[in-house]
Amino acid sequence: MTETVHVPLEGRAYDVRIGSDLLGRAGAEIAPLLKRPRVAIVTDLHVAELHLAALTAALKVDGIEAVSLTLPAGESTKGWTQFERTVEWLLEQKVERRDVVVALGGGVIGDLVGFAAAVLRRGVRFVQIPTSLLAQVDSSVGGKTGINAPQGKNLIGAFHQPSLVLADISVLNSLPDRDFLAGYGEVVKYGLLGDAAFFDWQDANAARIRVRDPEALAYAVKRSVEMKAEIVVRDETEQGDRALLNLGHTFCHAFEAATGYSDRLLHGEGVAIGCALAFELSARLGLCSQEDPSRVREMLSAMGMKVRLADIPGDLPDAQTLLDLMGQDKKVIDGQLRFIMARGIGQAFVTSDVPSETVLTLLQDALSER
Ligand code: GLY
């Protein structure tokens, strides 16, 4: 069964389709968008090996011809070199303004290809086919596209909404456990930021999620996408509420920088640890009960996810250095760090009113558990 979440942005509305075997039905799903039966697919080597043949075969069934470009896999692809290569390849393929580009892959491919589509001939339409859990519940929806700069992650980019997102739950079966659980960190984030009942559902269904039960996964992806869509429609360009989607991310970005963006810490793992710390900080500030951070930690542990700084292998810098790294976050405005805090599970809000000393003590305590 396929579920649809509609993203009703005026003039740029689109559907996110969620279900099993969407890859196999990609031709029928994409055909209504096409002015001529031809698409350009951009993917990475790892995803190409697993899913490119299935996608091109599915397009062919509906008479859609596909050309494809396969980029190297990994975060280092998300920079000027592969971006330039992609844009030039799309031009060589004579992709026109009325055509559609397809991004087949995880967050790196979705962000890079979306940005290429945003600037190619001043904007062509694109379809996201996210193949990681993180991309299905977060990066493929909402139109943030871009690449990394030597100065930091995601510093070059544009808001460019996709015309369609096809989230095929069955492709999640090919994910290694670690990537799957990292992506689940973003799912947990949605319950924590705005839907206590969704958090309770996650708690009750941990065992089903761990074995990747398709029905449970489809619900987890659908509810996450619904929540993201609601927030994006309220605040597409992050002037206010969209910052709620960054729950746990200020901590996470500091830990990612401290571990050199290496595989010592995957983004979603940092989000999970960051969410646990954001709740601990909220409790220490008297915003929520002490029971809430305990519940968050218990749920993450039950899923086998990273929860504490002790779960990050290797050395970490001291608390002051971590705090300084938090200060380099994109959410700093006029030198003031904005935090996403919570009044309880499902009740997050944005505030600048967090004393640095409290954060420093929290980080010192978290480091001392190592
Ligand atoms: N990943 C956060 C956002 O889309 O705003």
PDB file of all heavy atoms in Angstrom, residues 27-56:
ATOM      1  N   GLY A  27       8.124   4.581 -13.066  1.00  0.00           N
ATOM      2  CA  GLY A  27       7.702   5.095 -14.382  1.00  0.00           C
ATOM      3  C   GLY A  27       6.316   5.713 -14.302  1.00  0.00           C
ATOM      4  O   GLY A  27       6.093   6.862 -14.716  1.00  0.00           O
ATOM      5  N   ALA A  28       5.380   4.953 -13.733  1.00  0.00           N
ATOM      6  CA  ALA A  28       3.998   5.439 -13.628  1.00  0.00           C
ATOM      7  C   ALA A  28       3.914   6.670 -12.731  1.00  0.00           C
ATOM      8  O   ALA A  28       3.110   7.579 -12.973  1.00  0.00           O
ATOM      9  CB  ALA A  28       3.109   4.329 -13.069  1.00  0.00           C
ATOM     10  N   GLU A  29       4.762   6.707 -11.682  1.00  0.00           N
ATOM     11  CA  GLU A  29       4.724   7.843 -10.745  1.00  0.00           C
ATOM     12  C   GLU A  29       5.287   9.121 -11.387  1.00  0.00           C
ATOM     13  O   GLU A  29       4.784  10.215 -11.153  1.00  0.00           O
ATOM     14  CB  GLU A  29       5.541   7.514  -9.480  1.00  0.00           C
ATOM     15  CG  GLU A  29       5.006   6.360  -8.654  1.00  0.00           C
ATOM     16  CD  GLU A  29       3.783   6.761  -7.824  1.00  0.00           C
ATOM     17  OE1 GLU A  29       3.499   7.961  -7.695  1.00  0.00           O
ATOM     18  OE2 GLU A  29       3.109   5.833  -7.320  1.00  0.00           O
ATOM     19  N   ILE A  30       6.361   8.944 -12.173  1.00  0.00           N
ATOM     20  CA  ILE A  30       7.064  10.114 -12.720  1.00  0.00           C
ATOM     21  C   ILE A  30       6.437  10.591 -14.042  1.00  0.00           C
ATOM     22  O   ILE A  30       6.452  11.794 -14.341  1.00  0.00           O
ATOM     23  CB  ILE A  30       8.576   9.782 -12.900  1.00  0.00           C
ATOM     24  CG1 ILE A  30       9.219   9.577 -11.518  1.00  0.00           C
ATOM     25  CG2 ILE A  30       9.316  10.890 -13.658  1.00  0.00           C
ATOM     26  CD1 ILE A  30      10.670   9.107 -11.550  1.00  0.00           C
ATOM     27  N   ALA A  31       5.858   9.672 -14.814  1.00  0.00           N
ATOM     28  CA  ALA A  31       5.346  10.004 -16.158  1.00  0.00           C
ATOM     29  C   ALA A  31       4.469  11.266 -16.186  1.00  0.00           C
ATOM     30  O   ALA A  31       4.642  12.112 -17.086  1.00  0.00           O
ATOM     31  CB  ALA A  31       4.589   8.808 -16.741  1.00  0.00           C
ATOM     32  N   PRO A  32       3.553  11.452 -15.222  1.00  0.00           N
ATOM     33  CA  PRO A  32       2.692  12.647 -15.313  1.00  0.00           C
ATOM     34  C   PRO A  32       3.454  13.971 -15.256  1.00  0.00           C
ATOM     35  O   PRO A  32       2.928  15.007 -15.655  1.00  0.00           O
ATOM     36  CB  PRO A  32       1.763  12.516 -14.088  1.00  0.00           C
ATOM     37  CG  PRO A  32       1.795  11.077 -13.717  1.00  0.00           C
ATOM     38  CD  PRO A  32       3.139  10.570 -14.117  1.00  0.00           C
ATOM     39  N   LEU A  33       4.711  13.938 -14.761  1.00  0.00           N
ATOM     40  CA  LEU A  33       5.486  15.186 -14.668  1.00  0.00           C
ATOM     41  C   LEU A  33       6.201  15.528 -15.974  1.00  0.00           C
ATOM     42  O   LEU A  33       6.695  16.641 -16.145  1.00  0.00           O
ATOM     43  CB  LEU A  33       6.582  15.052 -13.585  1.00  0.00           C
ATOM     44  CG  LEU A  33       6.166  14.839 -12.139  1.00  0.00           C
ATOM     45  CD1 LEU A  33       7.393  14.557 -11.286  1.00  0.00           C
ATOM     46  CD2 LEU A  33       5.433  16.070 -11.619  1.00  0.00           C
ATOM     47  N   LEU A  34       6.289  14.542 -16.883  1.00  0.00           N
ATOM     48  CA  LEU A  34       7.190  14.706 -18.030  1.00  0.00           C
ATOM     49  C   LEU A  34       6.518  15.337 -19.249  1.00  0.00           C
ATOM     50  O   LEU A  34       5.379  15.012 -19.580  1.00  0.00           O
ATOM     51  CB  LEU A  34       7.773  13.343 -18.425  1.00  0.00           C
ATOM     52  CG  LEU A  34       8.526  12.591 -17.312  1.00  0.00           C
ATOM     53  CD1 LEU A  34       9.079  11.269 -17.858  1.00  0.00           C
ATOM     54  CD2 LEU A  34       9.647  13.433 -16.727  1.00  0.00           C
ATOM     55  N   LYS A  35       7.275  16.222 -19.918  1.00  0.00           N
ATOM     56  CA  LYS A  35       6.796  16.802 -21.185  1.00  0.00           C
ATOM     57  C   LYS A  35       7.317  15.973 -22.350  1.00  0.00           C
ATOM     58  O   LYS A  35       6.795  16.014 -23.449  1.00  0.00           O
ATOM     59  CB  LYS A  35       7.316  18.240 -21.329  1.00  0.00           C
ATOM     60  CG  LYS A  35       6.950  19.164 -20.169  1.00  0.00           C
ATOM     61  CD  LYS A  35       5.575  19.791 -20.369  1.00  0.00           C
ATOM     62  CE  LYS A  35       5.326  20.949 -19.419  1.00  0.00           C
ATOM     63  NZ  LYS A  35       5.082  20.535 -18.032  1.00  0.00           N
ATOM     64  N   ARG A  36       8.440  15.272 -22.126  1.00  0.00           N
ATOM     65  CA  ARG A  36       8.911  14.277 -23.096  1.00  0.00           C
ATOM     66  C   ARG A  36       9.438  13.076 -22.300  1.00  0.00           C
ATOM     67  O   ARG A  36       9.878  13.237 -21.150  1.00  0.00           O
ATOM     68  CB  ARG A  36       9.998  14.850 -24.010  1.00  0.00           C
ATOM     69  CG  ARG A  36      11.217  15.373 -23.274  1.00  0.00           C
ATOM     70  CD  ARG A  36      12.323  15.738 -24.251  1.00  0.00           C
ATOM     71  NE  ARG A  36      13.362  16.505 -23.563  1.00  0.00           N
ATOM     72  CZ  ARG A  36      14.551  16.734 -24.082  1.00  0.00           C
ATOM     73  NH1 ARG A  36      14.853  16.291 -25.281  1.00  0.00           N
ATOM     74  NH2 ARG A  36      15.446  17.431 -23.412  1.00  0.00           N
ATOM     75  N   PRO A  37       9.388  11.854 -22.891  1.00  0.00           N
ATOM     76  CA  PRO A  37       9.646  10.638 -22.103  1.00  0.00           C
ATOM     77  C   PRO A  37      11.138  10.382 -21.886  1.00  0.00           C
ATOM     78  O   PRO A  37      11.707   9.399 -22.364  1.00  0.00           O
ATOM     79  CB  PRO A  37       9.008   9.531 -22.946  1.00  0.00           C
ATOM     80  CG  PRO A  37       9.082  10.043 -24.346  1.00  0.00           C
ATOM     81  CD  PRO A  37       8.989  11.536 -24.280  1.00  0.00           C
ATOM     82  N   ARG A  38      11.790  11.255 -21.088  1.00  0.00           N
ATOM     83  CA  ARG A  38      13.238  11.136 -20.906  1.00  0.00           C
ATOM     84  C   ARG A  38      13.606  11.786 -19.577  1.00  0.00           C
ATOM     85  O   ARG A  38      13.146  12.882 -19.274  1.00  0.00           O
ATOM     86  CB  ARG A  38      13.919  11.889 -22.058  1.00  0.00           C
ATOM     87  CG  ARG A  38      15.401  11.803 -22.069  1.00  0.00           C
ATOM     88  CD  ARG A  38      15.929  12.421 -23.366  1.00  0.00           C
ATOM     89  NE  ARG A  38      17.354  12.170 -23.491  1.00  0.00           N
ATOM     90  CZ  ARG A  38      18.292  13.008 -23.063  1.00  0.00           C
ATOM     91  NH1 ARG A  38      17.948  14.149 -22.502  1.00  0.00           N
ATOM     92  NH2 ARG A  38      19.564  12.712 -23.206  1.00  0.00           N
ATOM     93  N   VAL A  39      14.424  11.110 -18.781  1.00  0.00           N
ATOM     94  CA  VAL A  39      14.914  11.722 -17.538  1.00  0.00           C
ATOM     95  C   VAL A  39      16.420  11.524 -17.420  1.00  0.00           C
ATOM     96  O   VAL A  39      16.997  10.630 -18.042  1.00  0.00           O
ATOM     97  CB  VAL A  39      14.250  11.121 -16.262  1.00  0.00           C
ATOM     98  CG1 VAL A  39      12.780  11.423 -16.188  1.00  0.00           C
ATOM     99  CG2 VAL A  39      14.534   9.626 -16.146  1.00  0.00           C
ATOM    100  N   ALA A  40      17.053  12.378 -16.620  1.00  0.00           N
ATOM    101  CA  ALA A  40      18.479  12.230 -16.295  1.00  0.00           C
ATOM    102  C   ALA A  40      18.564  11.851 -14.821  1.00  0.00           C
ATOM    103  O   ALA A  40      18.051  12.568 -13.960  1.00  0.00           O
ATOM    104  CB  ALA A  40      19.207  13.541 -16.555  1.00  0.00           C
ATOM    105  N   ILE A  41      19.205  10.710 -14.548  1.00  0.00           N
ATOM    106  CA  ILE A  41      19.327  10.224 -13.157  1.00  0.00           C
ATOM    107  C   ILE A  41      20.752  10.491 -12.677  1.00  0.00           C
ATOM    108  O   ILE A  41      21.716  10.226 -13.394  1.00  0.00           O
ATOM    109  CB  ILE A  41      19.089   8.692 -13.093  1.00  0.00           C
ATOM    110  CG1 ILE A  41      17.728   8.322 -13.671  1.00  0.00           C
ATOM    111  CG2 ILE A  41      19.232   8.177 -11.654  1.00  0.00           C
ATOM    112  CD1 ILE A  41      17.548   6.814 -13.890  1.00  0.00           C
ATOM    113  N   VAL A  42      20.879  11.013 -11.455  1.00  0.00           N
ATOM    114  CA  VAL A  42      22.203  11.121 -10.839  1.00  0.00           C
ATOM    115  C   VAL A  42      22.172  10.294  -9.564  1.00  0.00           C
ATOM    116  O   VAL A  42      21.230  10.393  -8.766  1.00  0.00           O
ATOM    117  CB  VAL A  42      22.586  12.589 -10.528  1.00  0.00           C
ATOM    118  CG1 VAL A  42      24.007  12.655  -9.954  1.00  0.00           C
ATOM    119  CG2 VAL A  42      22.479  13.453 -11.784  1.00  0.00           C
ATOM    120  N   THR A  43      23.201   9.449  -9.395  1.00  0.00           N
ATOM    121  CA  THR A  43      23.247   8.559  -8.241  1.00  0.00           C
ATOM    122  C   THR A  43      24.691   8.419  -7.776  1.00  0.00           C
ATOM    123  O   THR A  43      25.570   9.138  -8.260  1.00  0.00           O
ATOM    124  CB  THR A  43      22.617   7.190  -8.618  1.00  0.00           C
ATOM    125  OG1 THR A  43      22.522   6.379  -7.454  1.00  0.00           O
ATOM    126  CG2 THR A  43      23.418   6.465  -9.684  1.00  0.00           C
ATOM    127  N   ASP A  44      24.939   7.532  -6.799  1.00  0.00           N
ATOM    128  CA  ASP A  44      26.337   7.258  -6.449  1.00  0.00           C
ATOM    129  C   ASP A  44      26.642   5.781  -6.692  1.00  0.00           C
ATOM    130  O   ASP A  44      25.733   4.975  -6.921  1.00  0.00           O
ATOM    131  CB  ASP A  44      26.691   7.728  -5.022  1.00  0.00           C
ATOM    132  CG  ASP A  44      26.112   6.841  -3.930  1.00  0.00           C
ATOM    133  OD1 ASP A  44      25.927   5.628  -4.155  1.00  0.00           O
ATOM    134  OD2 ASP A  44      25.846   7.362  -2.835  1.00  0.00           O
ATOM    135  N   LEU A  45      27.923   5.464  -6.647  1.00  0.00           N
ATOM    136  CA  LEU A  45      28.377   4.135  -7.039  1.00  0.00           C
ATOM    137  C   LEU A  45      27.713   3.031  -6.213  1.00  0.00           C
ATOM    138  O   LEU A  45      27.269   2.013  -6.747  1.00  0.00           O
ATOM    139  CB  LEU A  45      29.910   4.080  -6.869  1.00  0.00           C
ATOM    140  CG  LEU A  45      30.624   2.905  -7.500  1.00  0.00           C
ATOM    141  CD1 LEU A  45      30.307   2.801  -8.976  1.00  0.00           C
ATOM    142  CD2 LEU A  45      32.131   3.063  -7.307  1.00  0.00           C
ATOM    143  N   HIS A  46      27.618   3.280  -4.915  1.00  0.00           N
ATOM    144  CA  HIS A  46      27.075   2.278  -4.017  1.00  0.00           C
ATOM    145  C   HIS A  46      25.588   2.029  -4.316  1.00  0.00           C
ATOM    146  O   HIS A  46      25.146   0.879  -4.451  1.00  0.00           O
ATOM    147  CB  HIS A  46      27.278   2.790  -2.581  1.00  0.00           C
ATOM    148  CG  HIS A  46      26.848   1.822  -1.558  1.00  0.00           C
ATOM    149  ND1 HIS A  46      27.372   0.560  -1.464  1.00  0.00           N
ATOM    150  CD2 HIS A  46      25.905   1.922  -0.585  1.00  0.00           C
ATOM    151  CE1 HIS A  46      26.778  -0.070  -0.481  1.00  0.00           C
ATOM    152  NE2 HIS A  46      25.880   0.729   0.069  1.00  0.00           N
ATOM    153  N   VAL A  47      24.834   3.120  -4.460  1.00  0.00           N
ATOM    154  CA  VAL A  47      23.391   2.995  -4.728  1.00  0.00           C
ATOM    155  C   VAL A  47      23.159   2.451  -6.137  1.00  0.00           C
ATOM    156  O   VAL A  47      22.240   1.655  -6.368  1.00  0.00           O
ATOM    157  CB  VAL A  47      22.684   4.361  -4.523  1.00  0.00           C
ATOM    158  CG1 VAL A  47      21.217   4.291  -4.931  1.00  0.00           C
ATOM    159  CG2 VAL A  47      22.801   4.820  -3.073  1.00  0.00           C
ATOM    160  N   ALA A  48      24.014   2.865  -7.090  1.00  0.00           N
ATOM    161  CA  ALA A  48      23.864   2.394  -8.473  1.00  0.00           C
ATOM    162  C   ALA A  48      23.927   0.868  -8.519  1.00  0.00           C
ATOM    163  O   ALA A  48      23.117   0.216  -9.184  1.00  0.00           O
ATOM    164  CB  ALA A  48      24.956   3.003  -9.351  1.00  0.00           C
ATOM    165  N   GLU A  49      24.880   0.296  -7.766  1.00  0.00           N
ATOM    166  CA  GLU A  49      25.026  -1.167  -7.772  1.00  0.00           C
ATOM    167  C   GLU A  49      23.760  -1.852  -7.280  1.00  0.00           C
ATOM    168  O   GLU A  49      23.373  -2.901  -7.762  1.00  0.00           O
ATOM    169  CB  GLU A  49      26.197  -1.577  -6.869  1.00  0.00           C
ATOM    170  CG  GLU A  49      27.526  -1.477  -7.591  1.00  0.00           C
ATOM    171  CD  GLU A  49      28.722  -1.612  -6.657  1.00  0.00           C
ATOM    172  OE1 GLU A  49      28.523  -1.956  -5.472  1.00  0.00           O
ATOM    173  OE2 GLU A  49      29.843  -1.337  -7.129  1.00  0.00           O
ATOM    174  N   LEU A  50      23.100  -1.221  -6.308  1.00  0.00           N
ATOM    175  CA  LEU A  50      21.924  -1.845  -5.696  1.00  0.00           C
ATOM    176  C   LEU A  50      20.621  -1.571  -6.454  1.00  0.00           C
ATOM    177  O   LEU A  50      19.769  -2.437  -6.564  1.00  0.00           O
ATOM    178  CB  LEU A  50      21.758  -1.335  -4.256  1.00  0.00           C
ATOM    179  CG  LEU A  50      22.833  -1.742  -3.245  1.00  0.00           C
ATOM    180  CD1 LEU A  50      22.693  -0.931  -1.964  1.00  0.00           C
ATOM    181  CD2 LEU A  50      22.734  -3.232  -2.941  1.00  0.00           C
ATOM    182  N   HIS A  51      20.455  -0.327  -6.958  1.00  0.00           N
ATOM    183  CA  HIS A  51      19.105   0.071  -7.393  1.00  0.00           C
ATOM    184  C   HIS A  51      18.980   0.702  -8.784  1.00  0.00           C
ATOM    185  O   HIS A  51      17.866   0.913  -9.246  1.00  0.00           O
ATOM    186  CB  HIS A  51      18.512   1.078  -6.379  1.00  0.00           C
ATOM    187  CG  HIS A  51      18.507   0.589  -4.968  1.00  0.00           C
ATOM    188  ND1 HIS A  51      17.842  -0.560  -4.581  1.00  0.00           N
ATOM    189  CD2 HIS A  51      19.085   1.077  -3.837  1.00  0.00           C
ATOM    190  CE1 HIS A  51      18.014  -0.744  -3.268  1.00  0.00           C
ATOM    191  NE2 HIS A  51      18.762   0.231  -2.811  1.00  0.00           N
ATOM    192  N   LEU A  52      20.092   1.038  -9.433  1.00  0.00           N
ATOM    193  CA  LEU A  52      19.969   1.787 -10.698  1.00  0.00           C
ATOM    194  C   LEU A  52      19.304   0.948 -11.801  1.00  0.00           C
ATOM    195  O   LEU A  52      18.433   1.449 -12.523  1.00  0.00           O
ATOM    196  CB  LEU A  52      21.347   2.306 -11.152  1.00  0.00           C
ATOM    197  CG  LEU A  52      21.341   3.162 -12.416  1.00  0.00           C
ATOM    198  CD1 LEU A  52      20.446   4.393 -12.249  1.00  0.00           C
ATOM    199  CD2 LEU A  52      22.763   3.595 -12.788  1.00  0.00           C
ATOM    200  N   ALA A  53      19.696  -0.327 -11.904  1.00  0.00           N
ATOM    201  CA  ALA A  53      19.122  -1.172 -12.965  1.00  0.00           C
ATOM    202  C   ALA A  53      17.606  -1.301 -12.766  1.00  0.00           C
ATOM    203  O   ALA A  53      16.832  -1.213 -13.735  1.00  0.00           O
ATOM    204  CB  ALA A  53      19.787  -2.542 -12.951  1.00  0.00           C
ATOM    205  N   ALA A  54      17.194  -1.473 -11.498  1.00  0.00           N
ATOM    206  CA  ALA A  54      15.750  -1.617 -11.219  1.00  0.00           C
ATOM    207  C   ALA A  54      15.004  -0.344 -11.611  1.00  0.00           C
ATOM    208  O   ALA A  54      13.913  -0.388 -12.185  1.00  0.00           O
ATOM    209  CB  ALA A  54      15.534  -1.923  -9.739  1.00  0.00           C
ATOM    210  N   LEU A  55      15.608   0.814 -11.319  1.00  0.00           N
ATOM    211  CA  LEU A  55      14.929   2.079 -11.642  1.00  0.00           C
ATOM    212  C   LEU A  55      14.826   2.280 -13.157  1.00  0.00           C
ATOM    213  O   LEU A  55      13.748   2.608 -13.665  1.00  0.00           O
ATOM    214  CB  LEU A  55      15.674   3.260 -10.994  1.00  0.00           C
ATOM    215  CG  LEU A  55      15.121   4.637 -11.337  1.00  0.00           C
ATOM    216  CD1 LEU A  55      13.659   4.783 -10.905  1.00  0.00           C
ATOM    217  CD2 LEU A  55      15.964   5.747 -10.682  1.00  0.00           C
ATOM    218  N   THR A  56      15.942   2.053 -13.886  1.00  0.00           N
ATOM    219  CA  THR A  56      15.879   2.285 -15.334  1.00  0.00           C
ATOM    220  C   THR A  56      14.912   1.295 -15.994  1.00  0.00           C
ATOM    221  O   THR A  56      14.174   1.657 -16.906  1.00  0.00           O
ATOM    222  CB  THR A  56      17.278   2.214 -15.989  1.00  0.00           C
ATOM    223  OG1 THR A  56      17.954   1.070 -15.502  1.00  0.00           O
ATOM    224  CG2 THR A  56      18.108   3.421 -15.675  1.00  0.00           C
TER     225      THR A  56
END
